[in-house]
Amino acid sequence: MSLSHPLVCLGHSLLDISAAVSVEMFEKYGVRAGNAILAEEKHMPIFKELVDNYPCDFIAGGASQNTCRAAQWLSRTENFTGFIGVVGEDEYSQHLRDSVKAAGVNAYYQVEPTVPTGTCACLIHEKERSLIANLAAAQMLKLDYLRSIWHVIENCSVIYAEGYMFSSAVDCVVESAKYACENGKIFTMNVSAQFIIEFFREPMMRAWPYCEYVFGNEDETQKFGEVFGFGSDVVEAAKQMSLMPTNTPRPKKIVVTRGKDTVLIACEGKVTEYNVPLIPSEKVLDLNGAGDSFVGGFLCELIKGGSYERCVAAGNYLASEVIQLSGCSFPAVPSFN
């Protein structure tokens, strides 16, 4: 009998290779703190250099996979989450499988034997980090494979997709989103990055009418407003995003995180703000994965029937836990009530 996972996430399956490095490492590869980029040819040696010269943590990464692990950890429920992505057939794929299994996530990996598993170099220096992603196999999800495991989609209640999928597997996202909308499920997505909004607007709009919850941070929301003609004010952009045409049976909700500032939820042109607990700066270790973890907490509580206030509180709790640890990782046991 097929397993039922309340939450199923689609995304780029990456192995995070995380290490604390000197500022010279940033300079050597021409990257800036707080930045996230795709690896170019000049960046390719960094993955081996990290493994050979630094004590590294190998952690299942990629935006949706982070969200999946976060929700699974908070849920304390076996088989709560399923993840759909692509890996190669190499040493890194085994690290990835081990990490996901340890997190309790059920992974449904399409395997590409001739392509390396996607990796992300996470350079950490004085609480700041820079991410360099080599997508490799991660960007190769095929619609035929998704259809072969369609029971995973049929047996869930919420589907979540990262915006990066609009650059590589838009048909998979759209088919999942349309099915969810037409069959009493909830499809949710994250805009993920400013470049997705700017350069993959048309693919994203194919899924937009079927999406009930859209997540993004304030910079992404501002970019959305600028690209779609809503202006650069974040609150106004969120309002207008919530009023865009939709096929969903319930109104569209836009959820905007703003760091230490209030979280916004826009619905039918109205915005509600939710406070964010302050974490003392001396406790903040690494901001990597905070946004992904917020979404994991939010969706976990949404599935359990929580109010928006409760969903935001769960998201804030998970984000606050993650930023006090290295990489997108969690304590042994959640303390969220």
Side-chain angles (χ1 to χ4, degrees):
M1 186 174 68
S2 300
L3 290 175
S4 176
H5 313 298
L7 175 62
V8 170
C9 300
L10 286 74
H12 289 160
S13 45
L14 302 175
L15 178 69
D16 284 353
I17 305 173
S18 182
V21 302
S22 65
V23 70
E24 285 76 21
M25 191 72 158
F26 285 73
E27 295 169 352
K28 178 178 180 179
Y29 287 96
V31 295
R32 293 185 291 108
N35 206 6
I37 62 172
L38 293 177
E40 301 174 21
E41 191 63 34
K42 66 181 181 181
H43 300 121
M44 291 306 177
I46 198 170
F47 302 97
K48 187 175 186 302
E49 184 172 345
L50 283 177
V51 174
D52 289 349
N53 300 324
Y54 294 89
C56 294
D57 292 322
F58 294 96
I59 305 171
S64 282
Q65 202 160 231
N66 286 342
T67 293
C68 211
R69 292 192 301 112
Q72 180 63 48
W73 177 76
L74 186 62
S75 74
R76 312 187 203 191
T77 304
E78 189 175 4
N79 300 321
F80 189 80
T81 60
F83 176 79
I84 299 172
V86 190
V87 297
E89 203 168 50
D90 51 22
E91 182 182 354
Y92 287 153
S93 72
Q94 192 56 54
H95 279 302
L96 193 50
R97 290 179 187 277
D98 291 344
S99 180
V100 168
K101 183 178 180 180
V105 173
N106 292 269
Y108 298 86
Y109 288 138
Q110 172 188 318
V111 178
E112 293 294 325
T114 62
V115 184
T117 297
T119 48
C120 182
C122 303
L123 310 183
I124 303 168
H125 181 73
E126 295 182 353
K127 301 182 183 181
E128 291 288 348
R129 58 97 176 99
S130 186
L131 306 179
I132 306 172
N134 177 27
L135 297 180
Q139 60 191 327
M140 300 180 71
L141 184 64
K142 297 180 177 66
L143 188 55
D144 286 347
Y145 175 76
L146 182 62
R147 287 172 175 163
S148 75
I149 57 164
W150 195 247
H151 60 276
V152 179
I153 299 294
E154 291 175 330
N155 291 331
C156 76
S157 55
V158 174
I159 302 169
Y160 173 73
E162 62 187 65
Y164 300 114
M165 297 294 280
F166 293 117
S167 69
S168 63
V170 61
D171 288 342
C172 294
V173 177
V174 172
E175 187 149 326
S176 301
K178 188 175 181 180
Y179 177 83
C181 187
E182 294 173 351
N183 289 273
K185 304 178 188 299
I186 296 174
F187 179 78
T188 68
M189 73 177 215
N190 202 314
V191 293
S192 293
Q194 295 180 59
F195 80 87
I196 294 294
I197 300 162
E198 191 167 5
F199 300 111
F200 296 93
R201 168 178 174 169
E202 184 178 347
M204 183 169 61
M205 285 299 103
R206 287 177 56 193
W208 187 270
Y210 310 110
C211 184
E212 187 170 334
Y213 288 83
V214 180
F215 295 89
N217 63 31
E218 58 184 332
D219 293 335
E220 293 153 1
T221 306
Q222 182 180 43
K223 174 60 71 173
F224 197 105
E226 293 169 353
V227 169
F228 284 82
F230 301 147
S232 59
D233 181 78
V234 172
V235 174
E236 184 60 29
K239 287 181 182 179
Q240 295 303 318
M241 290 166 70
S242 74
L243 293 171
M244 292 174 72
T246 184
N247 293 338
T248 59
R250 295 166 295 270
K252 191 181 299 294
K253 276 74 69 174
I254 311 299
V255 184
V256 184
T257 56
R258 303 191 297 167
K260 296 180 292 185
D261 295 330
T262 54
V263 173
L264 310 178
I265 298 184
C267 181
E268 297 185 303
K270 298 178 181 179
V271 172
T272 306
E273 297 188 42
Y274 299 86
N275 290 328
V276 176
L278 180 63
I279 303 299
S281 59
E282 62 271 17
K283 290 188 175 182
V284 177
L285 180 63
D286 178 11
L287 300 177
N288 187 24
D292 301 332
S293 298
F294 173 90
V295 177
F298 189 103
L299 294 180
C300 180
E301 284 301 315
L302 179 69
I303 289 168
K304 293 181 177 182
S307 64
Y308 291 152
E309 184 176 13
R310 177 80 176 170
C311 292
V312 171
N316 286 335
Y317 165 73
L318 261 168
S320 69
E321 290 287 350
V322 164
I323 65 177
Q324 297 179 67
L325 298 169
S326 178
C328 186
S329 54
F330 313 99
V333 180
S335 59
F336 182 74
N337 292 320

